[in-house]
């Protein structure tokens, strides 16, 4: 009985909280909390807050290692998505470009191909692998928190638009997490089964030390 009362109270709070305001454009000058940013004053909100004008092609030459560019429209770039549980991104891949294995801990992702061919894959928590090469007009869902990757599978530049189920999805790249930090190379060697020379080589590539 106590559990039922607690559940109904929580549900009532959620419904009430959702209907208090129509939107909450983020005040980026304030600190972000677990529930998002505080709202900027409604008196200062204009139509321009709800428009993102920077979804232009990214410069893949800025990242010669990956030959990829991601243009994010999450809360830090597009404050109007604050609290709405949505965000977007644009992915541009040069010939041979790729986005290494990574995850979004708090968001599922829908990827839609608008140009070229992109191979997309993810690995489930029981290590099942799902991979498909997509062409223009196809979309693919990547469930929340799973390791996934994309790479250009064609002979021309490729572009995809992404929708994510969080206003601040974040991204953790596996290679950067392993080799872009100051964790001792000896520890990385033991935990990855790579030889020490290879670990140090990868640390040099991804900016790690130790």
């Amino acid at each position: 009985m106590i559990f039922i009362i607690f559940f109904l109270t929580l549900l009532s709070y959620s419904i009430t909280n959702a209907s208090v305001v129509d939107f909450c454009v983020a005040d980026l000058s304030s600190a972000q909390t677990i529930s998002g940013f505080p709202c900027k004053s409604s008196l200062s909100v204009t139509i321009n807050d709800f428009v993102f004008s920077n979804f232009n092609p990214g410069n893949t030459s800025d990242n010669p290692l990956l030959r990829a560019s991601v243009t994010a429209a999450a809360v830090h770039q597009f404050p109007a998505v604050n609290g709405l549980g949505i965000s977007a991104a644009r992915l541009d891949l040069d010939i041979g470009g790729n986005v290494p294995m990574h995850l979004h801990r708090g968001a599922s992702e829908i990827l839609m191909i608008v140009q070229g061919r992109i191979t997309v894959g993810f690995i489930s928590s029981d290590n099942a692998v799902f991979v498909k090469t997509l062409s223009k007009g196809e979309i693919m869902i990547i469930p929340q928190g799973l390791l996934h990757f994309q790479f250009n599978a064609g002979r021309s530049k490729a572009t995809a638009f992404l929708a994510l189920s969080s206003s601040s999805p974040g991204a953790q790249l596996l290679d950067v997490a392993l080799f872009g930090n100051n964790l001792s190379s000896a520890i990385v060697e033991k935990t990855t089964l790579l030889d020490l020379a290879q670990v140090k080589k990868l640390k040099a590539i991804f900016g790690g030390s130790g």
Side-chain angles (χ1 to χ4, degrees), residues 56-191:
N56 302 312
N59 188 353
T60 56
S61 61
D62 287 343
N63 193 335
L65 179 63
L66 303 180
R67 286 179 281 179
S69 174
V70 177
T71 304
V75 67
H76 289 90
Q77 301 83 23
F78 192 14
V81 302
N82 186 49
L84 299 181
I86 56 172
S87 60
R90 173 183 176 134
L91 171 63
D92 291 289
L93 293 170
D94 207 347
I95 300 170
N98 76 96
V99 180
M101 200 76 71
H102 65 286
L103 60 85
H104 309 289
R105 185 170 57 85
S108 296
E109 174 182 324
I110 292 179
L111 181 145
M112 178 177 68
I113 311 301
V114 297
Q115 177 183 337
R117 299 172 71 241
I118 300 177
T119 296
V120 184
F122 66 87
I123 302 172
S124 70
S125 57
D126 61 357
N127 293 323
V129 178
F130 300 86
V131 182
K132 187 174 178 62
T133 298
L134 306 176
S135 299
K136 181 180 178 179
E138 293 187 295
I139 67 174
M140 181 169 169
I141 185 74
I142 299 168
Q144 177 177 330
L146 298 185
L147 287 168
H148 59 285
F149 60 87
Q150 299 100 4
F151 64 83
N152 189 335
R155 297 182 178 180
S156 61
K157 290 187 176 182
T159 301
F161 290 127
L162 287 61
L164 300 108
S165 61
S166 170
S167 59
S168 185
Q172 184 175 30
L173 271 69
L174 183 59
D175 290 339
V176 175
L178 284 172
F179 308 110
N181 54 51
N182 62 357
L183 183 63
S184 165
S185 295
I187 294 177
V188 178
E189 177 191 11
K190 289 181 182 298
T191 57

